[in-house]
Amino acid sequence: DQQVKQNSPSLSVQEGRISILNCDYTNSMFDYFLWYKKYPAEGPTFLISISSIKDKNEDGRFTVFLNKSAKHLSLHIVPSQPGDSAVYFCAASANAGNMLTFGGGTRLMVKP
Amino acid sequence: DAGITQSPRYKITETGRQVTLMCHQTWSHSYMFWYRQDLGHGLRLIYYSAAADITDKGEVPDGYVVSRSKTENFPLTLESATRSQTSVYFCASSEIRLAGGNEQFFGPGTRLTVL
């Protein structure tokens, strides 16, 4: 049973518009959430994270929102740029641990 | 080179052969991980290590063996490769989680094809 799910395998957005990537989780013990970005033929790179004590974290064009009651987090990219085209993974960890559970990924395509 | 490296980057082998994928990190991170990436499954943990000589199974450990005699190296061995082990393999490392989080740093990956 997947504890972290990204229900949209792909998303297409026009350059300059907002991209919203979603992630749902089932394990109520998750207390830290991360987003990774992956380009083809490269390893995933850390993008942004959020602790369960917060409901929003912002870093430049990237904002992550956490809704604990709905067990849902989302990544907003504003404005979207063609260079943002990549696969995005959400991940979660529990109980201050070092293990990450990853979602299946969402492929974002930003069209010029 | 600083960071985390994997070798080889690409490998083609045959069913039944033994294959070892190498991972080396220069940060002296305590934790190291091996993941495989398959379509529809995201990243699944194969094995991890909390320190030298300490390893443990992840979600999909069957058919794989790991060792960690030195902090900086974490090789992954497929003892008898099967076609179902065709995948992209990523090594990652992280320091022990502090209050701020537990970001993992990934290597560039090894694309393995088993014929």
Side-chain angles (χ1 to χ4, degrees):
Chain A
D1 184 30
Q2 278 190 305
Q3 297 186 63
V4 179
K5 288 186 180 180
Q6 294 176 255
N7 291 316
S8 298
S10 64
L11 175 67
S12 182
V13 171
Q14 205 67 33
E15 181 179 5
R17 306 294 290 269
I18 184 171
S19 295
I20 300 177
L21 294 90
N22 294 303
C23 181
D24 297 297
Y25 62 95
T26 57
N27 188 343
S28 58
M29 302 305 293
F30 286 148
D31 58 0
Y32 198 76
F33 303 88
L34 306 88
W35 284 94
Y36 280 82
K37 177 179 181 178
K38 186 187 175 306
Y39 291 120
E42 295 183 11
T45 55
F46 170 74
L47 189 58
I48 192 170
S49 62
I50 188 167
S51 166
S52 61
I53 63 174
K54 295 184 177 181
D55 54 18
K56 176 183 174 181
N57 188 27
E58 192 172 352
D59 184 2
R61 295 187 298 115
F62 302 91
T63 302
V64 56
F65 295 92
L66 176 62
N67 182 334
K68 289 187 292 292
S69 61
K71 293 191 175 65
H72 176 84
L73 67 154
S74 60
L75 174 68
H76 292 211
I77 307 173
V78 183
S80 301
Q81 300 173 354
D84 296 329
S85 297
V87 176
Y88 290 79
F89 293 100
C90 68
S93 66
N95 298 326
N98 291 274
M99 313 302 296
L100 293 180
T101 301
F102 284 85
T106 296
R107 181 177 301 278
L108 174 64
M109 293 164 283
V110 181
K111 298 180 179 179
Chain B
D1 290 336
I4 184 164
T5 56
Q6 294 183 235
S7 62
R9 292 294 313 276
Y10 302 91
K11 176 74 176 178
I12 299 174
T13 190
E14 295 178 337
T15 302
R17 292 195 180 257
Q18 183 179 81
V19 177
T20 295
L21 310 183
M22 304 301 293
C23 179
H24 176 79
Q25 53 107 353
T26 60
W27 295 302
S28 298
H29 282 167
S30 298
Y31 276 85
M32 294 188 75
F33 308 84
W34 274 107
Y35 294 89
R36 58 179 291 173
Q37 183 195 3
D38 304 291
L39 269 176
H41 291 281
L43 294 163
R44 291 184 292 175
L45 182 65
I46 304 170
Y47 268 96
Y48 69 98
S49 168
D53 297 322
I54 300 175
T55 63
D56 208 346
K57 296 178 180 179
E59 181 186 354
V60 289
D62 293 344
Y64 303 95
V65 174
V66 293
S67 63
R68 194 162 176 211
S69 57
K70 293 184 178 181
T71 300
E72 62 267 30
N73 296 325
F74 191 37
L76 176 74
T77 298
L78 289 66
E79 294 189 299
S80 178
T82 64
R83 290 194 182 92
S84 65
Q85 292 177 309
T86 292
S87 186
V88 181
Y89 291 84
F90 291 100
C91 178
S93 70
S94 73
E95 201 30 271
I96 295 172
R97 179 171 176 173
L98 303 175
N102 57 344
E103 174 190 344
Q104 292 181 14
F105 299 85
F106 284 80
T110 294
R111 180 175 292 276
L112 176 68
T113 302
V114 183
L115 302 176

